[in-house]
Amino acid sequence: MTLINTINFFESLKAKTVKKSEIKVYTQFIDILIKVKKREFTTNEIQSIETELDSLGLKSNPENRKKFFKKALTQFENYLKDTFSLTSKGYYTNTSVSLGILFGVAFGVLIGERFEKSLGVSFGICMVLFIGAYIGRRKDAQAKAAGNML
């Protein structure tokens, strides 16, 4: 499936549905495909991307479209990240904020042993979340400067 055919396919799906959640997934897929199309790739790289799109089985008719296409979008984004080091906007920020929340709870429990538990947990989440967001924004800026952001 070529990039143009895939874009047209998602445009037609977007026109057929009225569910906002499905439209959001289709729009995200279209945006990524348009950005990939604008980048300059070799013929072999384009064939590799089109092969990956074929392997996602987008033409199938699943029962839960939103879940199926969201999973396909995630797989395609992971493929672009692993193969071409391309990340979507805010990728590192989202990842580091998620890790910040995870480690913030653990850090907060440790602080909570010295002080009140709820105060320690909230303080730990806030501090590590802030640090994670800062690191993620810096890594996103570096990826953008290197030209690796979609």
Side-chain angles (χ1 to χ4, degrees), residues 99-111 120-121 124-126 128:
L99 290 173
I101 291 172
L102 175 72
F103 291 116
V105 171
F107 182 66
V109 169
L110 292 174
I111 291 174
V121 171
I125 290 174
C126 289
V128 180

Side-chain angles (χ1 to χ4, degrees), residues 1-4 6-7 29 32-58 75-77 79-81 83-86 150:
M1 183 179 255
T2 64
L3 288 172
I4 295 171
T6 309
I7 292 170
F29 227 124
I32 288 175
L33 290 170
I34 288 172
K35 290 174 183 174
V36 166
K37 185 180 170 220
K38 288 181 181 178
R39 294 182 78 84
E40 293 190 19
F41 289 109
T42 64
T43 306
N44 290 338
E45 291 172 337
I46 290 173
Q47 287 176 346
S48 171
I49 292 170
E50 291 174 351
T51 303
E52 179 65 21
L53 287 171
D54 285 336
S55 71
L56 293 175
L58 300 175
Q75 287 176 343
F76 188 62
E77 285 176 332
Y79 167 77
L80 291 175
K81 183 180 178 310
T83 308
F84 302 108
S85 299
L86 297 175
L150 291 174

